[in-house]
Every structure is written in C-alpha cells, then in structure tokens.
Amino acid sequence: SQRQAFEMFTKNTHIQSWLAQIADVEPCVGGKYELFWDANNRDINSTIGCKITAIEPDKLLCFEWKGPAQFAHFMNAAEPLTHVSVFFSSINDCGRATEIHLVHTGWGSDEDWDQARKWFEKVWENALAILKNEIDK
C-alpha cells in the first residue's frame, strides 16, 4: 500500500530494514532526515544535518541529501545540498500496489559531480530493489 511504502521512508525501524544502519527521522517539514551507515562515526557516511523539505503523508517526501566520504568534500559543502524527492502512487484500483518514483536533484556539472551522480544512480537502484524485497516479504 502507499502507506506502507511511505512508512519505509519515514519510520526509523523501517528505514533501518533496507536503507541505513541507524535512522533518526522526524517526519515533518524541517524535521531531521539523518541516516547513518557507520554507527561509530556519525560524521562520515551519513546525512547528518539533513532536513525534510516537504511531506504529504502517503504521497510525497522530499529531503536534503549528503554524499559518502569519497564525495563529501564537494557534496556536503554544496549550498544547497542535493535533494531527494520521493513520490508514492497507487497503480491499481484496489490500492494494493504502489509505484515509487525517486528523483535525486541538485548535481553540479563538473567531473566529480558526474561521478557522484552515476554512483548514486547505482546506489538508489540497488536500495530500491532491497526495498521491494522488504515490502514483498
């Protein structure tokens, strides 16, 4: 359902089942969207400091995003940060199936940014495949 899919992005325990080791998310505009992939060093490989920019329950979630250590020197100093928008829509009359569209924007135009964007294309593809398996359980 759309609600279940939406909660996979907004409930800490659900996020931790497919996307990050630790999640600290406050599902409201201006709330934290902080995910951590290294519990022992929260300053690297995390989205620490990122905030939710728009939220419409079960339909839309938008948040700021940071890069991992290899891209941190330019991604995490960007003003504004890159931005992720996730759209949830029902794809049949019963509402049992949900389509998720994830759009990651705000990329710079040099070679470093291009490398980061290509890296994230693969990362998001893999993450969404894991999410699909988690929802289909």
Side-chain angles (χ1 to χ4, degrees):
S1 73
Q2 275 179 253
R3 166 149 298 153
Q4 182 189 14
F6 182 79
E7 288 178 348
M8 294 303 283
F9 283 84
T10 55
K11 288 198 166 186
N12 292 331
T13 53
H14 293 9
I15 296 166
Q16 289 164 185
S17 74
W18 71 280
L19 185 56
Q21 189 178 3
I22 298 168
D24 186 6
V25 170
E26 299 167 335
C28 60
V29 172
K32 291 190 276 191
Y33 205 86
E34 297 185 346
L35 308 184
F36 304 91
W37 288 270
D38 182 350
N40 298 319
N41 189 346
R42 289 178 170 232
D43 290 330
I44 61 155
N45 294 333
S46 73
T47 62
I48 195 165
C50 288
K51 304 266 186 248
I52 291 176
T53 57
I55 188 167
E56 189 177 340
D58 307 339
K59 293 184 180 168
L60 170 74
L61 179 68
C62 303
F63 46 88
E64 300 167 321
W65 195 259
K66 289 185 175 177
Q70 69 267 38
F71 305 129
H73 64 285
F74 60 94
M75 271 189 84
N76 300 359
E79 194 55 57
L81 294 169
T82 64
H83 193 256
V84 176
S85 300
V86 190
F87 305 89
F88 306 86
S89 56
S90 181
I91 54 173
N92 66 22
D93 292 338
C94 302
R96 287 196 193 105
T98 298
E99 199 167 71
I100 297 171
H101 291 274
L102 186 147
V103 182
H104 192 165
T105 59
W107 303 101
S109 55
D110 67 20
E111 204 172 302
D112 282 345
W113 279 102
D114 201 42
Q115 197 179 1
R117 185 184 51 75
K118 286 177 179 160
W119 188 84
F120 269 107
E121 279 177 14
K122 290 188 182 83
V123 165
W124 285 123
E125 191 178 315
N126 292 339
L128 292 171
I130 294 166
L131 173 61
K132 184 179 184 326
N133 291 337
E134 195 62 33
I135 289 176
D136 289 346
K137 276 184 184 174

